C-alpha cells in the first residue's frame, strides 16, 4: 500500500510541473478499457478520461484527457495542470452548470505487475468552460472503491455499490451516498426495504421523477480457502425518493419485475442513457468456468430498458433500406407492426463459430455471440449461416467486447475501446463506433482498430519480473514520461507491436480482416511467418467461400 501511494505521489509530482493548459490535435488515443466517455452538455464533443491497458506483463494507468469532436471526427489532447491521479474503473457524471462540469469519483490504481491495488475515495470536478481541475474535499463520503456507479440527478450525485480489493481480501458494497451540488456535502442514505445484494459493475439510471434503477452487476464470495465463487446478478431494483432532492428526503428500495426480453447474464457490460426515457446496455462477457480454465463468451449486442413501461427489449439492427437484411426483418415487421414493436420481439442469442484448419493442422477458432430472432432457429441451418455470413460481410459492427466506454449525444450512441480475449491473451481495443439509436440501421466506423497497436508479452522470464520491479520502484514513471514526449511529437502513445506479419486480403470486408489479424496475433510473436501466413490464407478462404 505504501509503495503504491509513493508511486502515485511520484506521478502527481510530474503532473504538478504542468503550469498551463495545452490543447493539441492528436491521433486517436491508445487502446484502453475501464475509462470514462462523457458527452459535453453544450458542445458536440465527447470527453475521454483515464482507463487502463495491460500487455501481458505490465499494467498502464492513465489520467489523460482527450476530446473527440463529433462534427470533425477528430481528436485533441487537453493537458490541464493538477489533474486527478491516474486511474481506471472510476465514475464520471456531467452536470450542465456554468458551461458544463465533469465530476469524477473513485476508481483504482494498480501496480505495474497488476497484483496490488489502491482504491481512491477522492472527488474531482473538471470545469469545462475554464478547463480547470478542482479537487473537492468534503468529509463523510464513500470509502475507497472501484466498479461503483454514479449518476447526476436533481442537483446531486448518487453513488451505489462497488468493491475494494487488497492482497488479502475483498469486499463488495451495496451502500448509497449522495453528494449535494449546492452545499458540497455528503450524505449516506438509509433507505427502507430490501436492498440489492452487494455488487459492482451494475447498470444505474435515473428516471425523470428522480428515482434510481439498478440492474445486474457482479460479485464474488469466498466459499473456502483460496476458492472464490462469482455471481452474475440479473435482478432489478428501484430506489424511490419521496421528495425533491433534499438531504432529508426519504428513500425506499423495491424490487422490479420487468416485462420483455431481459439481457442474457453477463458482467463487464457498458451502460448509457438514450432518448425516450430509455437506458441501454452494450456488450459484456459471460465466463464459463471449466475444470482448469475460464472461457468467456463476449457480446456486442444492445438491450434497451424502457423506464416508463418497465420493459426490456433487444436492439435489433434494421439495416439500410436497400439491403437484404431489411427484407429479412420485413417479415418480423409485418407480424409486429412498425416502430419499437419490431425491436421488442423476443429472441435468443445466436452463437457463430468459425473453425479453420490450416494445411499443417493448426486449428483456429473464432466464436461470436449475437442476438438473433428466435424464429431463425426454425429455418434450415444452411440458410441461416448463408444469410448471417452475408450480413456480416455487408455490415460493419463492433467486435464483441467487455468494459467498453459509452456515451450518447443527439440520439447517437458512441462505443470506444474495451477488451476481449483470444485464448489466454487479452486484447485491448482502441476503435470507435457509432449508431443512431432512433434509426437502428447500421453501425458506423469512426476510428478503425489498428492491429499494430496490439501487443502481448508472455510472462515467465526472470528478467521480465525484474522489469516489473523496476516499474514499481519508479522505472515506469520514466517510461511514461518518455511516452508522453513522443505523444507531443506525434500524437498518440504507441505500444510496440509484436504481432507476426500477415497478408492483406483485398476481397475481405473490414470486419473479417480485423478478426483474421487478431486471430493471427493469437499465435504469438514466436510463430513462424510461413505458418502464420498459411493460417491467414486458410481463414481468408473460409470467410470468402462462406460469404460468396
Amino acid at each position: 500500500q505504501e509503495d503504491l501511494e509513493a508511486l502515485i505521489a511520484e506521478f502527481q509530482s510530474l503532473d504538478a510541473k504542468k503550469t498551463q493548459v495545452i490543447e493539441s490535435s492528436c491521433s486517436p488515443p491508445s487502446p484502453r478499457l475501464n475509462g470514462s466517455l462523457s458527452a459535453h452538455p453544450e458542445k458536440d464533443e465527447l470527453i475521454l478520461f483515464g482507463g487502463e491497458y495491460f500487455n501481458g506483463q505490465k499494467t498502464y494507468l492513465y489520467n489523460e484527457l482527450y476530446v473527440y469532436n463529433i462534427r470533425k471526427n477528430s481528436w485533441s489532447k487537453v493537458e490541464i495542470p493538477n489533474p486527478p491521479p491516474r486511474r481506471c474503473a472510476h465514475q464520471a457524471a456531467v452536470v450542465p452548470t456554468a458551461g458544463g462540469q465533469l465530476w469524477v469519483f473513485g476508481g483504482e490504481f494498480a501496480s505495474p505487475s497488476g497484483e496490488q491495488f489502491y482504491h481512491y475515495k477522492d472527488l474531482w470536478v473538471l470545469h469545462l468552460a475554464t478547463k480547470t481541475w478542482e479537487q473537492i474535499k468534503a468529509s463523510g463520503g464513500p470509502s475507497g472503491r472501484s466498479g461503483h456507479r454514479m449518476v447526476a440527478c436533481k442537483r446531486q450525485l448518487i453513488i451505489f455499490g462497488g468493491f475494494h480489493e487488497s492482497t488479502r481480501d475483498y469486499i463488495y458494497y451495496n451502500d448509497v451516498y449522495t453528494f449535494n451540488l449546492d452545499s458540497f456535502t455528503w450524505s449516506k442514505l438509509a433507505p427502507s426495504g430490501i436492498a440489492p445484494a452487494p455488487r459492482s459493475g451494475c447498470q444505474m439510471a435515473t428516471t425523470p421523477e428522480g428515482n434510481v434503477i439498478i440492474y445486474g452487476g457482479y460479485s464474488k464470495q469466498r466459499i473456502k480457502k483460496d476458492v472464490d465463487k462469482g455471481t452474475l446478478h440479473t435482478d432489478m431494483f428501484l430506489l424511490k425518493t419521496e421528495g425533491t432532492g433534499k438531504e432529508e428526503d426519504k428513500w425506499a428500495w423495491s424490487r422490479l419485475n420487468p416485462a420483455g426480453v431481459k439481457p442474457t447474464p453477463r458482467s463487464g457490460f457498458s451502460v448509457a442513457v438514450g432518448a425516450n426515457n430509455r437506458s441501454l446496455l452494450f456488450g459484456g462477457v459471460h465466463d464459463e468456468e471449466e475444470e482448469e480454465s475460464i472461457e468467456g463468451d463476449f457480446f456486442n449486442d444492445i438491450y434497451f430498458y424502457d423506464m416508463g413501461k418497465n420493459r426490456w427489449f433487444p436492439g435489433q439492427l434494421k439495416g439500410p433500406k436497400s439491403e437484404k437484411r431489411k427484407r429479412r426483418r420485413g417479415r418480423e415487421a409485418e407480424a409486429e407492426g412498425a416502430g419499437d414493436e419490431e425491436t421488442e420481439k423476443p429472441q435468443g442469442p445466436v452463437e457463430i463459430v468459425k473453425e479453420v484448419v490450416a494445411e499443417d493442422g493448426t486449428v483456429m477458432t473464432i466464436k461470436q455471440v449475437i442476438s438473433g430472432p428466435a424464429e431463425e432457429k426454425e429455418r434450415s441451418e444452411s440458410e441461416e449461416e448463408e444469410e448471417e455470413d452475408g450480413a456480416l460481410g455487408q455490415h460493419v459492427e463492433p467486435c464483441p467486447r467487455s468494459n467498453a466506454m459509452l456515451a450518447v449525444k443527439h440520439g447517437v450512441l458512441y462505443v470506444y475501446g474495451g477488451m476481449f480475449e483470444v485464448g489466454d491473451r487479452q486484447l485491448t481495443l482502441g476503435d470507435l463506433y457509432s449508431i443512431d439509436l432512433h434509426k437502428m440501421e447500421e453501425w458506423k466506423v469512426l476510428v478503425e482498430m489498428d492491429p499494430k497497436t496490439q501487443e502481448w508479452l508472455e510472462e515467465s522470464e526472470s528478467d521480465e519480473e525484474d522489469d516489473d520491479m523496476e516499474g514499481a520502484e519508479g522505472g515506469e514513471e520514466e517510461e511514461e514520461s518518455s511516452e508522453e514526449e513522443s505523444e507531443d511529437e506525434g500524437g498518440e502513445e504507441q505500444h510496440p507491436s509484436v504481432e507476426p506479419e500477415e497478408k492483406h486480403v483485398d476481397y475481405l470486408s473490414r470486419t473479417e480482416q480485423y478478426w483474421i489479424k487478431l486471430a493471427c496475433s493469437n499465435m504469438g510473436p514466436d510463430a513462424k511467418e510461413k505458418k502464420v501466413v498459411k493460417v491467414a490464407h486458410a481463414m481468408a478462404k473460409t470467410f470468402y467461400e462462406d460469404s460468396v
Side-chain angles (χ1 to χ4, degrees):
Q1 191 81 350
E2 290 175 2
D3 290 343
L4 288 185
E5 289 178 359
L7 192 55
I8 293 168
E10 274 190 62
F11 286 138
Q12 283 188 286
S13 66
L14 283 176
D15 288 329
K17 294 177 183 177
K18 300 172 183 176
T19 57
Q20 57 183 346
V21 176
I22 301 174
E23 188 168 357
S24 54
S25 297
C26 66
S27 52
S30 58
R32 64 194 64 197
L33 66 150
N34 286 329
S36 58
L37 188 66
S38 309
H40 195 297
E42 295 183 2
K43 298 180 180 179
D44 290 339
E45 294 177 347
L46 306 179
I47 305 160
L48 175 67
F49 173 73
E52 65 177 313
Y53 174 86
F54 179 60
N55 66 3
Q57 287 183 7
K58 203 168 186 179
T59 299
Y60 297 83
L61 276 297
Y62 304 109
N63 64 345
E64 304 158 321
L65 190 73
Y66 289 95
V67 175
Y68 175 72
N69 187 304
I70 294 173
R71 292 187 179 182
K72 296 179 181 178
N73 188 25
S74 63
W75 289 92
S76 59
K77 185 178 181 181
V78 186
E79 297 183 58
I80 299 174
N82 300 309
R86 300 163 189 238
R87 68 190 63 206
C88 66
H90 56 279
Q91 282 288 278
V94 169
V95 175
T97 299
Q101 297 175 338
L102 179 73
W103 289 82
V104 174
F105 174 79
E108 69 184 52
F109 179 87
S111 64
S113 66
E115 294 178 358
Q116 291 177 289
F117 303 95
Y118 178 87
H119 295 267
Y120 296 104
K121 59 179 180 179
D122 50 355
L123 180 66
W124 295 77
V125 58
L126 172 62
H127 301 279
L128 298 175
T130 59
K131 293 185 174 64
T132 53
W133 280 109
E134 179 186 1
Q135 184 175 4
I136 307 299
K137 296 183 177 179
S139 60
S143 56
R145 63 189 65 195
S146 55
H148 52 289
R149 291 294 178 257
M150 179 174 77
V151 293
C153 179
K154 293 189 176 181
R155 297 299 301 158
Q156 60 185 359
L157 303 175
I158 306 175
I159 292 173
F160 169 79
F163 74 97
H164 182 284
E165 184 172 5
S166 64
T167 51
R168 296 180 181 177
D169 207 358
Y170 54 82
I171 181 172
Y172 284 79
Y173 300 105
N174 64 347
D175 47 7
V176 186
Y177 285 82
T178 62
F179 180 78
N180 189 295
L181 292 169
D182 295 316
S183 64
F184 279 26
T185 54
W186 285 105
S187 298
K188 184 176 182 179
L189 303 186
S192 59
I194 299 175
R199 65 192 65 195
S200 71
C202 63
Q203 182 178 34
M204 185 179 186
T206 58
T207 69
E209 300 77 32
N211 301 322
V212 175
I213 290 171
I214 300 291
Y215 167 75
Y218 175 83
S219 66
K220 62 181 180 180
Q221 58 183 4
R222 188 147 292 164
I223 52 178
K224 57 183 179 180
K225 188 178 180 181
D226 298 328
V227 178
D228 298 325
K229 183 183 179 183
T231 300
L232 294 177
H233 299 279
T234 58
D235 47 5
M236 201 161 188
F237 293 83
L238 175 70
L239 180 59
K240 191 172 183 179
T241 177
E242 299 171 1
T244 56
K246 296 180 180 178
E247 293 178 18
E248 61 272 16
D249 287 347
K250 293 181 179 179
W251 296 78
W253 283 111
S254 61
R255 190 161 184 144
L256 287 175
N257 293 303
V261 181
K262 290 171 67 175
T264 54
R266 64 189 70 191
S267 63
F269 54 77
S270 306
V271 298
V273 176
N276 302 324
N277 200 21
R278 291 172 179 168
S279 62
L280 66 89
L281 173 158
F282 168 82
V285 59
H286 182 273
D287 289 326
E288 294 178 4
E289 297 186 21
E290 297 181 356
E291 287 183 7
E292 292 185 357
S293 64
I294 296 178
E295 184 180 342
D297 285 338
F298 287 78
F299 303 95
N300 62 350
D301 48 1
I302 298 176
Y303 281 86
F304 293 96
Y305 174 70
D306 189 314
M307 292 185 267
K309 297 178 181 178
N310 186 28
R311 180 180 178 85
W312 281 102
F313 60 95
Q316 199 67 51
L317 281 186
K318 300 172 185 175
K321 293 178 182 177
S322 60
E323 295 289 351
K324 181 169 66 176
R325 183 177 287 190
K326 175 74 176 180
R327 295 198 296 272
R328 191 174 81 180
R329 299 278 181 255
R331 292 191 293 274
E332 298 167 30
E334 289 170 15
E336 286 290 321
D340 292 336
E341 293 302 318
E342 177 185 333
T343 64
E344 294 184 23
K345 190 171 184 67
Q347 56 188 308
V350 174
E351 182 176 272
I352 301 172
V353 178
K354 289 186 180 294
E355 196 170 84
V356 183
V357 182
E359 293 173 20
D360 61 357
T362 303
V363 179
M364 303 291 289
T365 303
I366 297 177
K367 180 186 290 187
Q368 186 173 3
V369 180
I370 63 171
S371 299
E375 68 202 36
E376 294 274 307
K377 296 176 185 176
E378 297 171 9
R379 305 169 58 201
S380 75
E381 196 171 320
S382 59
E383 275 184 320
E384 183 182 38
E385 286 181 359
E386 185 177 306
E387 200 160 75
E388 192 62 57
D389 290 336
L392 284 175
Q394 294 165 8
H395 296 278
V396 173
E397 60 184 356
C399 74
R401 64 191 68 196
S402 69
N403 304 90
M405 289 135 276
L406 303 191
V408 174
K409 183 71 177 179
H410 300 315
V412 176
L413 170 68
Y414 296 86
V415 176
Y416 171 77
M419 62 80 75
F420 72 100
E421 294 165 352
V422 177
D424 59 352
R425 295 163 186 254
Q426 175 179 309
L427 298 176
T428 306
L429 302 165
D431 46 6
L432 178 65
Y433 286 79
S434 70
I435 186 169
D436 189 318
L437 296 175
H438 297 294
K439 298 177 181 177
M440 285 298 290
E441 287 182 353
E442 60 182 342
W443 286 96
K444 293 182 179 177
V445 187
L446 302 173
V447 175
E448 274 195 291
M449 184 64 202
D450 182 1
K452 291 178 183 176
T453 62
Q454 290 299 327
E455 173 188 49
W456 188 262
L457 306 177
E458 295 296 342
E459 182 182 17
S460 63
E461 300 301 323
S462 57
D463 57 341
E464 290 169 357
E465 292 170 10
D466 292 340
D467 289 342
D468 266 357
M469 287 306 294
E470 287 173 18
E473 290 166 8
E476 181 182 346
E477 157 205 323
E478 295 172 13
E479 182 176 335
E480 289 286 338
S481 61
S482 67
E483 285 168 353
E484 285 168 8
E485 286 169 18
S486 67
E487 283 180 58
D488 292 338
E489 293 168 12
E492 179 189 10
E493 169 190 341
Q494 294 289 345
H495 297 289
S497 172
V498 294
E499 71 169 352
E501 291 183 17
E502 71 283 336
K503 299 293 182 183
H504 177 77
V505 186
D506 292 332
Y507 52 70
L508 293 174
S509 75
R510 283 183 292 188
T511 302
E512 290 161 349
Q513 288 175 31
Y514 177 63
W515 280 104
I516 287 173
K517 287 173 181 175
L518 292 177
C520 287
S521 71
N522 185 37
M523 298 183 68
D526 299 325
K528 292 180 180 176
E529 186 179 343
K530 234 181 221 180
K531 186 176 178 182
V532 172
V533 171
K534 277 183 184 177
V535 174
H537 276 298
M539 295 181 70
K541 188 180 176 188
T542 302
F543 274 119
Y544 180 65
E545 289 172 351
D546 285 353
S547 59
V548 168

